């Protein structure tokens, strides 16, 4: 087997003791193949009733703890996990499947299908087929949005991001979609000017990774139309995509 980055994944049989370092993958594999997770990160909040050993954060997992769990497979992501952690796991004989940080919904779902059908030897789960059908079409653009994911400093979604494609497919264009960086760091006055100039007419504020709220975020953009959205619906590639389309579509009607 070969992962998304072209690295060999030396599994001899379907994975049965898996440590996931990616919250959205944790949900996807546990829903699709319950009981095969041997560990997950502290930020793997779904499914709600997941009861497995925790191995620290996604960016800085406790690699020693992962090794102690003796997994037959570790799931990682090219954007969320450090190459040095992946290399250490492989050096200790642990197969690691690195999923590439996809820039599109179809790309992410295709990667998940490969993990489930190859590493887990499963048939396509119903949620995956449904999500592919739901996200197949792109709605006409209704808004042009600025999408912060952090403040102090301000960081927004730029080019080639999964969250940007999610919004694009429900009719919300990203003002920074053509920026040279995937996560630009514009100054606040530049962001405010986007609204003043009419380039943007919607402010999308997710609750992760930065937890924007009604009192933390909108006040920086007086008069701008804003919506608070679930970061899980915006950036997680898994079963949540089945509900995310309707939620995001109706949020801005």
């Amino acid at each position: 087997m070969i992962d998304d980055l072209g690295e060999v994944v030396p599994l001899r049989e379907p994975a049965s003791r898996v440590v996931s370092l990616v919250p959205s993958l944790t949900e996807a594999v546990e829903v699709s193949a319950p009981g095969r997770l041997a560990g997950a990160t502290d930020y793997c909040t779904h499914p709600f009733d997941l009861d497995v050993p925790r191995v620290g954060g996604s960016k800085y997992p406790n690699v020693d703890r992962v090794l102690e769990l003796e997994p037959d497979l570790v799931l990682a992501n090219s954007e969320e996990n450090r190459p040095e952690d992946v290399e250490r796991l492989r050096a200790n004989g642990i197969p690691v499947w690195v999923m590439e940080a996809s820039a599109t919904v179809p790309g992410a779902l295709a990667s998940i299908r490969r993990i489930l059908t190859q590493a887990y030897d499963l048939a396509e789960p119903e949620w995956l087929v449904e999500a592919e059908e739901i996200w197949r079409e792109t709605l006409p653009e209704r808004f042009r949005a600025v999408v912060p994911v952090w403040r102090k400093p301000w960081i927004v979604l730029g080019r080639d991001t999964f969250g940007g494609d999610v919004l694009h497919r429900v009719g919300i264009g990203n003002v920074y979609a053509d920026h040279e960086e995937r996560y630009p760091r514009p100054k606040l006055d530049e962001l405010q000017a986007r609204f003043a100039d009419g380039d943007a007419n919607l402010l999308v504020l997710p609750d992760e990774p930065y937890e924007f709220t009604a009192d933390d975020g909108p006040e920086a953009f007086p008069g701008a139309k804003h919506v608070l959205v679930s970061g899980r619906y915006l950036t997680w590639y898994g079963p949540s995509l089945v509900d995310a389309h309707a939620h995001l579509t109706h949020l801005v009607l």
Side-chain angles (χ1 to χ4, degrees), residues 113-126:
R113 178 191 291 104
R114 292 183 60 236
I115 292 172
L116 295 177
T117 59
Q118 295 183 27
Y120 277 79
D121 196 25
L122 298 175
E124 290 182 343
E126 291 185 9

Side-chain angles (χ1 to χ4, degrees), residues 52-76:
V52 296
R54 302 293 172 158
V55 297
S58 300
K59 293 288 187 184
Y60 301 98
N62 185 331
V63 177
D64 288 333
R65 178 61 174 145
V66 175
L67 294 173
E68 289 172 0
L69 294 172
E70 298 182 344
D72 55 17
L73 179 67
V74 170
L75 298 176

Side-chain angles (χ1 to χ4, degrees), residues 29-52:
V29 300
E30 179 64 13
V31 167
S32 305
R36 297 204 212 176
L37 278 175
T41 75
D42 298 340
Y43 300 105
C44 294
T45 57
H46 292 74
F48 289 111
D49 58 353
L50 182 64
D51 183 18
V52 296

Side-chain angles (χ1 to χ4, degrees), residues 74-97:
V74 170
L75 298 176
N77 178 274
S78 64
E79 185 171 78
E80 293 190 44
N81 303 115
R82 301 184 304 167
E84 55 264 40
D85 291 332
V86 172
E87 291 169 5
R88 184 180 168 199
L89 289 166
R90 286 174 173 157
N92 279 272
I94 305 297
V96 182
W97 186 303

Side-chain angles (χ1 to χ4, degrees), residues 152-167:
K152 301 178 184 179
W154 289 94
I155 302 176
V156 300
L157 291 185
R159 64 167 180 83
D160 299 334
T161 63
F162 179 81
D165 190 57
V166 164
L167 293 174

